[in-house]
Amino acid sequence: MEKVKVGMIGAGSLANSMHYPSLAEFDDVEFAAICDLDENKLNNSGDKYEIEKRYTDYKKMVSEVEMDAVYIIMPPHHLFDLTIHCLNNKKHVFIEKPPGVTAVQTQSMALTAERNGCLSMVGFNRRFIPVMVEARRIVEERGPILQCSATFYKNTMSPTNPYYGGAIDVLTCDAIHAVDTLRWMGGEVNALASDIRMLGAEYCNSFNSLMKFHGGATGFLLTNWVAGKRVHTFEMHARGISAFIDGNDSALIYSDNNSDPVVLNADDVAGSSESRKSYGFTAESRHFIDCIKEGRMPDTNFADAFKTMELVGRIYLSQIH
Ligand SMILES: NC(=O)c1ccc[n+]([C@@H]2O[C@H](COP(=O)([O-])OP(=O)(O)OC[C@H]3O[C@@H](n4cnc5c(N)ncnc54)[C@H](O)[C@@H]3O)[C@@H](O)[C@H]2O)c1
């Protein structure tokens, strides 16, 4: 395979800020075609990335243009039919998080990918943030992670659900980043207890959980959407070493009781201050393209994403009273 031919469905805001520019800089990727219902967006991105074949009907695009893979970047409640169609047409598929609205949708997509021999990937970019990857590598040199935490705080004071008019809940749509990263740090979850609350709103906007992982580690999820500002941080502890990470900024790594941490600057580790690079978006696309070229399943494939969606469901079911 010389260049991986990619069809793009969705020319919206995240797609344009992260996915189009990342793919465009890869020498081994070619945009085969682009599709969006909105002709302005279609032509803006089509012109910018010099994509000749333009469609408003994704089925027509998939049937008329030769391509290896499709990026389907759009709101979660619009995702399912398009993803199943592309998989049934033997295309490898990349989607953003969340991987559908329910765990059932994610499982159906995983099974359809498997049946068709397709590779799949969900953009859980936190796992690909260079400073996160480096911090985990340094901590795990001392042994397995014994305790980890993921915080995700936002200030969304809306009394009504801020996600697509209420099509999907806050935990599944967005705080899922913290849930997925806990699985990446700690492994699968044996048992958990959670406190979920509606803080001045008609929807759940605070999700806190204590988790016991199969390997014995302890995990903490701490999130609410009525915080002072957006804060999204992680901790990883192994014997004699602790990493405190803000993926947007830096990782502080303390070891052996030294009060001076090793400081990893997120931009320095990424080699760039562009957020698509320092925040893992370019690296996740690189992983997807490499997996296609090597015929191996991406780490954040649909079957793996189903486990994160299942954990989201278990958080709701483990409410303590
Ligand atoms: N990883 C992250 O940190 C992160 C951050 C923000 C958003 N996201 C995710 O990105 C996704 C949204 O991406 P976006 O911001 O580019 O979306 P957007 O809403 O800005 O754009 C979606 C585009 O899809 C098009 N579209 C909808 N249905 C279509 C169809 N059937 N055929 C063709 N085009 C269609 C729309 O016209 C629109 O242009 C969401 O899943 C969101 O959760 C992830």
Side-chain angles (χ1 to χ4, degrees):
M1 191 189 291
E2 286 189 350
K3 287 198 177 202
V4 177
K5 297 186 181 67
V6 177
M8 303 295 290
I9 308 178
S13 57
L14 184 90
N16 266 288
S17 55
M18 302 297 170
H19 298 303
Y20 284 87
S22 294
L23 290 166
E25 79 173 22
F26 297 158
D27 289 341
D28 52 357
V29 169
E30 170 184 319
F31 289 122
I34 180 172
C35 173
D36 200 294
L37 295 175
D38 181 321
E39 295 209 15
N40 277 331
K41 292 183 181 180
L42 177 68
N43 288 321
N44 283 340
S45 300
D47 289 349
K48 183 165 183 193
Y49 294 99
E50 298 175 348
I51 311 172
E52 207 179 293
K53 295 176 178 154
R54 302 179 189 182
Y55 292 84
T56 51
D57 177 345
Y58 70 92
K59 291 186 180 172
K60 207 162 181 276
M61 178 183 93
V62 168
S63 71
E64 288 183 4
V65 184
E66 189 198 326
M67 59 187 75
D68 306 299
V70 184
Y71 272 59
I72 309 173
I73 309 297
M74 63 187 52
H77 53 301
H78 293 154
L79 203 55
F80 184 77
D81 290 356
L82 286 78
T83 303
I84 295 295
H85 180 84
C86 291
L87 292 171
N88 280 333
N89 281 273
K90 313 281 185 212
K91 308 301 175 203
H92 307 308
V93 173
F94 180 103
I95 59 174
E96 256 303 333
K97 63 80 217 170
V101 175
T102 63
V104 171
Q105 289 193 346
T106 314
Q107 187 179 37
S108 299
M109 296 193 302
L111 293 171
T112 307
E114 192 184 342
R115 239 187 340 266
N116 285 289
C118 296
L119 306 178
S120 62
M121 181 159 172
V122 177
F124 282 126
N125 63 301
R126 274 53 165 181
R127 296 199 206 181
F128 296 88
I129 294 173
V131 76
M132 288 278 283
V133 173
E134 181 59 3
R136 191 176 85 158
R137 189 192 66 74
I138 292 170
V139 169
E140 287 185 332
E141 269 179 357
R142 296 289 190 102
I145 291 173
L146 303 172
Q147 185 175 324
C148 55
S149 67
T151 75
F152 202 174
Y153 301 112
K154 282 193 172 178
N155 181 308
T156 308
M157 303 297 275
S158 160
T160 55
N161 185 329
Y163 293 99
Y164 308 111
I168 186 165
D169 57 292
V170 170
L171 181 63
T172 310
C173 193
D174 207 356
I176 192 170
H177 275 304
V179 177
D180 183 72
T181 311
L182 280 166
R183 281 191 56 240
W184 180 70
M185 295 186 289
E188 302 310 331
V189 172
N190 250 356
L192 70 169
S194 306
D195 194 25
I196 298 166
R197 301 175 66 196
M198 296 177 172
L199 302 175
E202 64 183 30
Y203 58 97
C204 298
N205 54 10
S206 170
F207 307 87
N208 301 289
S209 216
L210 166 64
M211 300 174 181
K212 184 81 183 160
F213 295 100
H214 283 320
T218 310
F220 297 91
L221 172 71
L222 301 164
T223 77
N224 76 68
W225 255 227
V226 293
K229 69 182 273 288
R230 180 190 185 277
V231 176
H232 193 17
T233 59
F234 305 90
E235 291 180 19
M236 306 173 196
H237 306 267
R239 233 178 123 71
I241 191 162
S242 299
F244 298 86
I245 308 152
D246 176 346
N248 292 104
D249 184 56
S250 60
L252 303 184
I253 302 178
Y254 293 89
S255 59
D256 305 322
N257 225 13
N258 289 324
S259 43
D260 292 331
V262 170
V263 181
L264 304 177
N265 177 281
D267 293 352
D268 291 348
V269 178
S272 169
S273 58
E274 277 186 90
S275 62
R276 69 183 169 85
K277 292 190 176 165
S278 60
Y279 217 54
F281 291 95
T282 301
E284 70 184 357
S285 272
R286 190 61 256 167
H287 178 67
F288 183 56
I289 299 300
D290 286 343
C291 285
I292 291 173
K293 291 174 76 175
E294 293 159 21
R296 65 186 163 96
M297 194 48 101
D299 294 347
T300 55
N301 59 75
F302 291 172
D304 184 82
F306 172 57
K307 293 182 187 166
T308 295
M309 289 290 273
E310 273 190 316
L311 182 53
V312 163
R314 288 172 66 198
I315 290 169
Y316 278 105
L317 292 173
S318 61
Q319 169 73 50
I320 52 172
H321 297 282

